Amino acid sequence: MATTALRGLQMLETLAGMRQPATLRDIADRAGLSESNAFRILQALEQEGYLHHLGRSGYRLASRSLALATVIGPRPAMLRLMYPVVARLAGISGEAAVIHLRAGHFRVLVLGVPARSGPILDPAGVLGERTPLASGASGRIILAYLTEAERAGIDLGGVTPQQLAAIRERGYETSHGENHPGINGISVPLLAETDDAACPPIALGAMTIAGPAERFPDEGLLRLAGPLMGACRDLSPRLAALLGPNPGSTIDALDL
């Protein structure tokens, strides 16, 4: 058992040092294993959410690996950049504030600051939690800013192009107990503007304020649209700059 666990950690370490996605053959060569042994380890890591298998393109690190890194490793510059903005939102609203980043067809919770009143039924979820883009405000706001090509193959869960256009027009989305029963939320997109004015912005993720429905009704949600959008305008360009000249590809490669 210990040997198997060690091999899994070694495989994660190997992949983390490679350009991703990486093919089975390249990973096996780098790890010094046969392809059959490497495949068995990769398959187990994929089943537990540490890796994504992208068909013939190969493998890349997934959300659970990121969550593990944020817990046991040095705090990444990305989270240091995000934290003051999210903490300020939690202070202004009195509710929990969280950030999700896009991970393929999903969004991943990477940071959450709880409400000042302390833990309730935690609206921030669990670090590394993965949820489909069609479910919840933070997912749909990301979905609304994806291009048609990016939306191809994503399960829209009944969300129509007209609904997505309406979300883009107002610049925010709300949800009512969809992912966490009894919790309402409002989300805005984190967008990276491109140098080409003809190209749409790149959807990196979403910023959300969430709280119990009884103290966070619709009018409460809408009052926070302005502060959320202001925080988004503050954080988005700095996050995009941190991620490099092609932030969408960075998000894609790392599956943050």
Side-chain angles (χ1 to χ4, degrees):
M1 180 68 176
T3 302
T4 302
L6 181 59
R7 284 179 177 169
L9 290 172
Q10 290 171 336
M11 188 66 76
L12 288 176
E13 185 179 44
T14 296
L15 184 57
M18 300 176 68
R19 184 177 178 85
Q20 297 170 42
T23 65
L24 171 62
R25 176 178 293 178
D26 288 343
I27 296 170
D29 287 346
R30 179 74 68 91
L33 297 171
S34 68
E35 288 189 29
S36 60
N37 282 341
F39 176 75
R40 282 194 293 272
I41 297 170
L42 291 168
Q43 190 175 47
L45 291 169
E46 181 192 5
Q47 288 170 353
E48 293 300 322
Y50 290 103
L51 301 178
H52 277 327
H53 184 209
L54 306 178
R56 293 182 180 179
S57 297
Y59 296 82
R60 67 181 182 190
L61 295 177
S63 57
R64 198 168 179 188
S65 294
L66 173 70
L68 183 63
T70 62
V71 171
I72 66 173
R75 194 168 184 82
M78 182 180 70
L79 296 185
R80 290 200 303 269
L81 176 68
M82 293 174 174
Y83 184 82
V85 179
V86 177
R88 190 162 59 246
L89 275 176
I92 290 170
S93 66
E95 303 295 348
V98 303
I99 286 183
H100 291 83
L101 293 182
R102 182 191 171 198
H105 294 188
F106 298 85
R107 69 192 184 280
V108 176
L109 176 62
V110 296
L111 179 64
V113 175
R116 288 176 302 192
S117 58
I120 51 164
L121 173 62
D122 186 6
V126 179
L127 185 66
E129 176 185 61
R130 294 165 53 80
T131 318
L133 291 178
S135 174
S138 58
R140 287 192 298 273
I141 197 71
I142 296 170
L143 198 58
Y145 286 86
L146 297 183
T147 64
E148 232 178 277
E150 288 174 318
R151 289 200 299 267
I154 295 178
D155 180 2
L156 299 184
V159 180
T160 67
Q162 292 76 18
Q163 288 173 306
L164 295 177
I167 293 170
R168 283 196 305 275
E169 186 173 347
R170 62 178 177 261
Y172 65 83
E173 175 63 330
T174 60
S175 62
H176 301 81
E178 294 175 52
N179 294 322
H180 300 281
I183 299 297
N184 292 348
I186 180 168
S187 300
V188 298
L190 291 167
L191 302 173
E193 300 294 336
T194 63
D195 293 333
D196 186 348
C199 293
I202 300 164
L204 302 176
M207 198 181 316
T208 302
I209 298 175
E214 62 269 17
R215 69 170 188 246
F216 207 27
D218 282 350
E219 57 269 24
L221 290 174
L222 299 183
R223 276 199 300 269
L224 290 170
L228 260 176
M229 290 177 178
C232 174
R233 286 192 295 271
D234 173 25
L235 180 59
S236 290
R238 294 190 289 136
L239 177 60
L242 180 67
L243 291 172
N246 194 340
S249 291
T250 304
I251 290 284
D252 249 2
L254 297 179
D255 189 25
L256 296 172

